Amino acid sequence: MSERIPEPKTVLLRRGEVHSPADPFATAMVVERGQVAWVGSEGAADAFADGVDEVVDLDGALVTPAFTDAHVHTTSTGLALTGLDLSDAPSLEAALVLVRDFAAARPQDKVLLGHGWDAARWPGGRPPTRAELDEATGGRPLYLSRIDVHSAVVTTALLDLAHGVGAEDGPLTADAHHAVRAAAFAAVTPAQRAGAQRTALAHAASLGIGSVHECAGPEISSEDDFTGLLRLAAEEPGPRVIGYWAEQAEEGVAKARELGAAGAAGDLFVDGALGSHTACLHTPYTDADHTGTAYLDAAAVAAHVVACTEAGLQAGFHAIGDAAVTTVVDGVRAAAEKVGLARVRAARHRVEHAEMLTPETIAAFAELGLTASVQPAFDALWGGEEGMYAQRLGADRARTLNPFAALLRAGVPLAFGSDSPVTPLGPWGTVRAAAFHRTPEHRVSARAAFTAHTRGGWRAIGRDDAGVLVPGAPADYAVWRTDELVVQAPDDRVARWSTDPRSGTPGLPDLSPGRDLPVCLRTVVGGRTVFVRPGE
C-alpha cells in the first residue's frame, strides 16, 4: 500500500439516519479496519464511544452506501470537465462562438478538445462544417465529440495528424472516428492526462460515488491511459476504479490480464449509438434509409465469451440497437452450448446500454445470467414523445426503450451508470430518472433504482457482500444533507405498505421531479475519507 494513503480509523457515526437492511431504524454505525463493524440505535452507540478514534455527529444527516457508477470513461470525463463543454449550446451559432472563445483562451494547447454537441437539439439540425471549425480555431487541430461519443467533427489540421483518414465533410463515425480520436488524445501529455483523471475522480467523490467501472479499450483510449488510471487510483485517496479492457477473444483475454483488468469487457462494440445513426437495428431508422452499423457478428461474440469464460474473466459488449442485442444473445447462447450454461451464468458477463430490448431478449438475458449495465439518464435526456429516440425511431419504437421494470421482473441483474461524459456523473439524478422514466410502464421504485446504483454495481463485478451497510461489508459510504425520507414506488399500494413502520423498509430522499437532490457532505471509501464538503 502506498504511504500516501493513511490507515483507516475506527469511527462512530451517530445521531443520523443510516440506510441499512440490518436495522431499518438505525441512527448510528461503527466502522473499523475499513469495514462496517456495527449498525444500530443511538442508545446502543454510547457503548462504542470510548473505544473509537473519532466520533462523527451526523446532526440528522443520512448515511447510505456509496454509489457505484458502472460505466465511466474517466480521462474523457476529466477532459470534458476541464475542456470545452458544448452540451448547453442552444444553436450551431452559439457552439461556434464557444469554439472560437475556447481556442483564443488556449493558445498553448497542441490540440483543442471539446465534447457534448447535439445537432438534433439545434434549429436546423445541422452540425458544424469543417470549414466553419477551421475558421473558428484559426486552423488549429480540434476534436469535438458528439454527446454520444460515437461520432465527432474535426478540423482539417486534426485530419492531417490522423494519417489515412478521408477528408469527407460532416461527422466522422466508426474507424474514421476512432482514428481522429486516437490522434487527438495522443497529443495529451501524461501530466494533462493524470490531471484529467484526478479531476474526474475528485468530482465523482464529491457526488458520493465510491467506485467507478472504467470502460476502456484500444478504440477508446490507450494502454498507457488505462494503466495510468489504475495506478493513480491505487496510490491516491479516491474512488475505487475497476477497469475493463474491450479487446476480442484470446488476444483480448491476454491483454486484459496483462493490464490488470477485471474483464475483457466494457465498450467492446457490437454497434454504435442511436444519435449517430450507428446503432444496429432490425428495421431502418425513421429518419435515415439504413439500419446502422454492425461491428461484430454472433460468431465473434461466441468466440469472445468462450475465451473469457474459460479464462475466468468477464466478457462484455456494447449493444444498443435491437439487432445488436440479438447478436449478443445469439452469441452468448452459442458459447453456453460449447462451455456449459452454468459456467456462462457464473461468469456474470455484461451488456452495456442494452437499450432496445424485446420480451425475447429480456428472457434470454435472464436465462444466460447477463448483467444489464444501463444508463437511466439516457431516457431523461433523449426519451419522450419529442426526444431524439422518437426522431430516430418513431414514437412507437421509442416507447420500448430502456425497459427497466421488465428487466427486474424477469430477474435480470441491473447495474446503473452514466457513461460519463455522455451524460454527467450524478447518481441521485440517475435514480430519479429510473423512478420517473418518461414511459411510465418502465418505471421502477426508487429503492430498486438505488439498489441498482449501489449493490448492483458490486454484483456486476462478482461481489455480493458489498454496496450495502451491514456488518462485514466494505465501509464505502456517503453522508447526505436531505429532506425527510420517504418510500417511492410505481404502485401506490406498495408505497403505502412500505411506509408503514411494520414493513421495516428504509426510506430514501424524495426524488420527485422539481425537488432538490441530496447534497453530499462526505464520501468514505474503505474507511478512508476521500471527500468532505468545504464548510462542513
Side-chain angles (χ1 to χ4, degrees):
M1 179 181 294
S2 168
E3 294 181 358
R4 299 173 67 179
I5 301 181
E7 287 295 320
K9 294 180 179 180
T10 300
V11 178
L12 167 64
L13 299 96
R14 62 188 307 178
R15 288 202 329 114
E17 299 279 352
V18 179
H19 186 93
S20 172
D23 182 349
F25 309 110
T27 60
M29 181 172 76
V30 173
V31 172
E32 185 176 15
R33 292 191 291 273
Q35 294 183 322
V36 177
W38 172 83
V39 175
S41 66
E42 182 60 31
D46 290 334
F48 297 95
D50 293 335
V52 299
D53 299 319
E54 181 182 1
V55 177
V56 175
D57 186 342
L58 295 170
D59 192 24
L62 170 67
V63 182
T64 71
F67 286 99
T68 292
D69 192 310
H71 193 117
V72 173
H73 305 286
T74 307
T75 303
S76 294
T77 296
L79 291 172
L81 289 168
T82 59
L84 175 58
D85 182 2
L86 295 176
S87 59
D88 291 330
S91 66
L92 170 59
E93 293 73 22
L96 289 170
V97 169
L98 291 171
V99 171
R100 187 174 293 108
D101 292 346
F102 185 76
R106 302 269 184 137
Q108 74 285 358
D109 288 2
K110 293 181 180 179
V111 173
L112 301 167
L113 300 172
H115 169 72
W117 62 270
D118 185 0
R121 296 190 292 113
W122 292 345
R126 179 177 73 79
T129 66
R130 187 159 303 132
E132 289 170 332
L133 295 175
D134 286 345
E135 187 278 329
T137 61
R140 296 168 63 191
L142 168 73
Y143 169 83
L144 287 181
S145 54
R146 190 186 180 279
I147 191 168
D148 60 10
V149 200
H150 281 268
S151 60
V153 290
V154 302
T155 56
T156 303
L158 183 60
L159 280 180
D160 293 340
L161 295 178
H163 304 295
V165 177
E168 70 274 9
D169 205 350
L172 300 173
T173 63
D175 290 343
H177 175 222
H178 298 155
V180 295
R181 177 166 56 190
F185 282 17
V188 176
T189 67
Q192 286 176 307
R193 184 173 63 216
Q197 292 168 349
R198 288 190 182 95
T199 295
L201 293 177
H203 183 55
S206 76
L207 297 169
I209 296 171
S211 299
V212 299
H213 296 183
E214 167 67 15
C215 292
E219 296 179 341
I220 301 165
S221 53
S222 69
E223 293 180 22
D224 287 344
D225 180 277
F226 184 68
T227 55
L229 173 63
L230 296 184
R231 185 167 55 250
L232 184 149
E235 293 175 352
E236 300 182 11
R240 303 174 192 266
V241 176
I242 295 90
Y244 288 96
W245 183 258
E247 198 167 347
Q248 287 186 59
E250 288 83 359
E251 296 83 359
V253 167
K255 183 58 68 175
R257 286 198 183 284
E258 176 188 335
L259 299 179
D267 274 332
L268 183 52
F269 296 117
V270 179
D271 68 344
L274 290 165
S276 293
H277 290 101
T278 51
C280 191
L281 313 180
H282 283 304
T283 56
Y285 286 86
T286 297
D287 61 349
D289 60 354
H290 60 82
T291 58
T293 306
Y295 297 122
L296 297 179
D297 59 18
V301 169
H304 186 67
V305 172
V306 168
C308 289
T309 303
E310 291 182 336
L313 284 177
Q314 281 183 294
F317 304 91
H318 164 118
I320 286 179
D322 50 3
V325 173
T326 297
T327 295
V328 171
V329 164
D330 290 346
V332 177
R333 186 171 282 127
E337 292 173 357
K338 183 170 183 178
V339 301
L341 177 60
R343 291 180 68 191
V344 166
R345 288 179 58 87
R348 303 192 190 189
H349 301 308
R350 300 170 53 138
V351 184
E352 309 298 320
H353 315 308
E355 293 198 74
M356 293 186 70
L357 294 157
T358 65
E360 291 74 23
T361 51
I362 290 172
F365 271 44
E367 172 198 353
L368 299 166
L370 297 174
T371 294
S373 171
V374 295
Q375 295 75 42
F378 286 5
D379 174 72
L381 183 61
W382 297 316
E385 296 297 311
E386 305 298 328
M388 183 270 289
Y389 291 151
Q391 294 175 28
R392 294 288 185 270
L393 304 172
D396 288 343
R397 273 196 294 178
R399 279 191 288 269
T400 69
L401 266 61
N402 301 300
F404 305 136
L407 285 163
L408 284 180
R409 284 195 300 270
V412 176
L414 295 185
F416 280 0
S418 63
D419 198 11
S420 180
V422 175
T423 60
L425 298 170
W428 285 115
T430 295
V431 174
R432 171 186 281 172
F436 295 93
H437 197 295
R438 289 177 179 271
T439 305
E441 59 261 36
H442 299 329
R443 293 174 180 171
V444 298
S445 69
R447 183 184 181 192
F450 177 79
T451 298
H453 217 346
T454 50
R455 200 169 191 178
W458 284 93
R459 286 171 167 168
I461 62 168
R463 292 280 302 272
D464 294 327
D465 62 336
V468 62
L469 299 181
V470 297
D476 289 20
Y477 63 90
V479 180
W480 306 92
R481 181 170 66 241
T482 187
D483 296 330
E484 66 174 318
L485 305 183
V486 300
V487 175
Q488 291 175 312
D491 188 319
D492 287 342
R493 292 170 300 172
V494 174
R496 284 197 301 270
W497 166 247
S498 296
T499 54
D500 188 306
R502 293 171 296 171
S503 72
T505 301
L508 288 169
D510 188 346
L511 303 176
S512 300
R515 294 188 66 96
D516 291 338
L517 293 173
V519 174
C520 184
L521 305 179
R522 180 186 296 250
T523 304
V524 176
V525 176
R528 301 176 182 87
T529 298
V530 299
F531 169 76
V532 176
R533 181 161 296 281
E536 296 296 334

